């Protein structure tokens, strides 16, 4: 590993400046992504609504034609009039055809990942909400006009208002209620002309009340649509945040850390921070790998890294880089712990203890590791291009930890830590032994080292 000079104030300012520029751009991209995904979910919801309506009208058409042909007398008695099979068939068929055309348009928008025009959505809402009006107008031609207002088509308005919530647009829901209320009120005005006032069902107040209920239903549907839209947006934002965290940290963090990052809305802007860095290396790996097949080598490393990474994660660290037969772990970034030096030391001790237990019971071949731990200031953040970025730690502390790990070969030890780490961890370590100050490559001043295992 090449020597890395400690970051000075000028590079830190530059990194902060770049981060300040990059964060708004990233946030803008995230918002656009959420908006695009939400638009797609809305289209999928509208597709379901169109499928539902097309199926309902198509099924109604088939049922009407079949029943009117098989039981014409019963149908006439049920509807209090003999229905014109052709006109009713054309009406139901036209409704079903319209929904199929709308469904086809929605499918094209989903495939092309385009958003529907706002005007088109309002026109579709107007046409669909007007379908019961057409049915009522037809009934007015075969029964008393005010009686047509009491037949089932008048209640179909509520179906369309209810289904408008699937558009996930409160304004369209309210618009649907306004259209239904206005058209019903207009029909009532004409239907009640000349009707006998002795019948309570012919009173203007009665039908005005129904129109107001339709309007209120549209407003209520708007509130429901708003809640649904907010729920979709929160879900998409959560997924986007999770995707952002995983894209930055990959598989280097535990699920618990991901959840904590999401809960804290942690970002990845560059900053200078106190961290504790651990380097781990498997001893005599080259000689081992020469005698084994590639499959055996990979299986051996996976068996080692499995519990080692688990120990790092359990002590609030992350494995930042894999280095062939070893890795670099960081404690204190992206999330700070209560005592990062303590966490790093406990993780190292646990790794050596679990390794010795696995060797003792024959689960893995005889294996030793070298671990070096150092703490200090480091620049943390994203490094890379627009196509690929990696969360990394840069600073003198990284070089020191790497060099300290290398001293294990000379001392025949498994865990070495700097004096700063030993003094900061606050642990009772009776087996710890201080070495004479050692010269570390790349450092002019000798470094005080403590041997823990």
């Amino acid at each position: 590993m090449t020597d890395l000079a400690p970051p000075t104030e000028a590079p830190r300012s530059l990194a902060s400046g770049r981060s300040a520029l990059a964060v708004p751009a990233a946030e803008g991209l995230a918002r656009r992504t959420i908006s695009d995904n939400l638009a797609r979910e809305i289209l999928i919801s509208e597709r379901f609504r169109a499928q539902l309506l097309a199926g309902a009208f198509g099924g109604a058409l088939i049922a009407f034609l079949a029943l009117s042909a098989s039981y014409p007398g019963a149908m006439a008695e049920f509807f209090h009039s003999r229905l014109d099979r052709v006109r009713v068939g054309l009406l139901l068929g036209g409704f079903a055809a319209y929904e199929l055309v709308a469904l086809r348009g929605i499918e094209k928008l989903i495939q092309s990942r385009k958003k529907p025009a706002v005007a088109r959505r309002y026109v579709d809402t107007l046409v669909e909400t007007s379908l019961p009006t057409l049915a009522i107008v037809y009934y007015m031609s075969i029964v008393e006009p005010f009686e047509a207002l009491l037949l089932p088509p008048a209640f179909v308005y509520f179906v369309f208002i209810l289904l408008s919530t699937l558009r996930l647009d409160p304004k369209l829901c309210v618009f649907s209620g306004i259209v239904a209320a206005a058209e019903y009120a207009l029909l009532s005005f004409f239907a009640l002309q000349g009707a006998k006032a002795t019948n309570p069902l012919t009173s203007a107040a009665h039908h005005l009340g129904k129109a107001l209920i339709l309007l209120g239903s549209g407003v209520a549907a708007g509130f429901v649509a708003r809640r649904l839209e907010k729920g979709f947006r929160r879900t998409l934002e959560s997924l986007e945040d999770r995707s952002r965290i995983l894209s930055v940290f990959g598989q280097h963090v535990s699920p618990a850390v991901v959840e904590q990052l999401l809960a804290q809305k942690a970002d990845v802007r560059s900053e200078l921070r106190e961290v504790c860095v651990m380097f781990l290396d498997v001893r005599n790996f080259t000689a081992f790998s020469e005698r084994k097949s590639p499959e055996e080598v990979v299986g051996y490393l996976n068996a080692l890294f499995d519990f080692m990474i688990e120990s790092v994660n359990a002590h609030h660290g992350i494995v930042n880089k894999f280095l062939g037969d070893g890795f670099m772990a960081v404690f204190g970034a992206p999330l700070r712990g209560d005592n990062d030096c303590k966490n790093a030391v406990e993780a190292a001790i646990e790794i050596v203890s679990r390794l010795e237990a696995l060797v003792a019971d024959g689960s893995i071949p005889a294996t030793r590791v070298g671990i070096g731990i150092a703490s200090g200031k480091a620049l943390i953040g994203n490094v890379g291009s627009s196509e690929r970025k990696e969360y990394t730690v840069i600073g003198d502390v990284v070089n020191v930890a790497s060099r300290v790990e290398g001293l294990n070969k000379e001392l025949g030890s498994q865990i070495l830590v700097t004096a700063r780490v030993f003094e900061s961890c606050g642990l009772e370590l009776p087996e710890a032994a201080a070495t004479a100050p050692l010269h570390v490559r790349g450092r002019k001043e000798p470094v005080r080292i403590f041997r823990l295992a």
Side-chain angles (χ1 to χ4, degrees), residues 393-446:
V393 180
I394 301 173
D396 185 57
V397 62
V398 177
N399 294 312
V400 173
S402 177
R403 307 304 184 219
V404 169
E405 186 281 314
L407 293 174
N408 282 291
K409 297 179 181 179
E410 301 176 15
L411 301 177
S413 57
Q414 292 196 83
I415 302 177
L416 294 177
V417 303
T418 62
R420 184 174 183 178
V421 172
F422 180 78
E423 293 165 359
S424 299
C425 71
L427 295 171
E428 293 292 336
L429 302 169
E431 297 183 0
T435 67
L438 301 175
H439 285 280
V440 175
R441 186 161 58 90
R443 298 291 298 269
K444 293 182 180 180
E445 297 296 328

Side-chain angles (χ1 to χ4, degrees), residues 366-379:
T367 302
R368 286 174 61 85
V369 294
I371 298 176
I373 304 176
S375 66
K377 294 285 187 180
L379 184 67

Side-chain angles (χ1 to χ4, degrees), residues 243-250 252 268 381-382 389-392:
S243 176
R244 176 177 61 85
I245 294 299
L246 292 178
S247 68
V248 172
F249 299 107
H252 303 327
V268 289
N382 274 341
K389 287 183 173 63
E390 181 181 16
Y391 185 78
T392 190

Side-chain angles (χ1 to χ4, degrees), residues 319-370:
V319 175
N320 185 246
K321 289 181 177 66
F322 287 98
L323 308 169
D325 56 347
F327 58 75
M328 181 184 96
V330 183
F331 297 79
L335 297 174
R336 292 184 175 92
D338 295 335
N339 187 328
D340 298 315
C341 291
K342 175 175 176 290
N343 290 334
V345 170
E346 288 180 337
I349 293 173
E350 181 178 296
I351 287 172
V352 171
S353 175
R354 294 179 66 176
L355 177 64
E356 291 175 347
L358 290 173
V359 171
D361 65 20
S363 299
I364 59 174
T367 302
R368 286 174 61 85
V369 294

Side-chain angles (χ1 to χ4, degrees), residues 67-116:
L67 292 174
S68 61
S70 302
Y71 309 100
M75 292 290 290
E77 182 178 352
F78 179 79
F79 288 101
H80 304 286
S81 177
R82 190 170 188 83
L83 299 178
D84 187 331
R85 295 183 74 236
V86 175
R87 292 172 65 183
V88 175
L90 288 175
L91 192 66
L92 292 174
F95 293 170
Y98 178 82
E99 293 300 335
L100 289 174
V101 171
L103 178 60
R104 177 59 179 166
I106 294 171
E107 290 285 3
K108 288 182 178 179
L109 289 173
I110 293 175
Q111 293 173 5
S112 61
R113 305 188 72 85
K114 294 181 180 179
K115 296 180 181 179

Side-chain angles (χ1 to χ4, degrees), residues 155-166:
F155 299 97
V156 178
Y157 284 120
F158 292 103
V159 176
F160 285 99
I161 292 173
L162 176 63
L163 291 178
S164 69
T165 58
L166 293 176

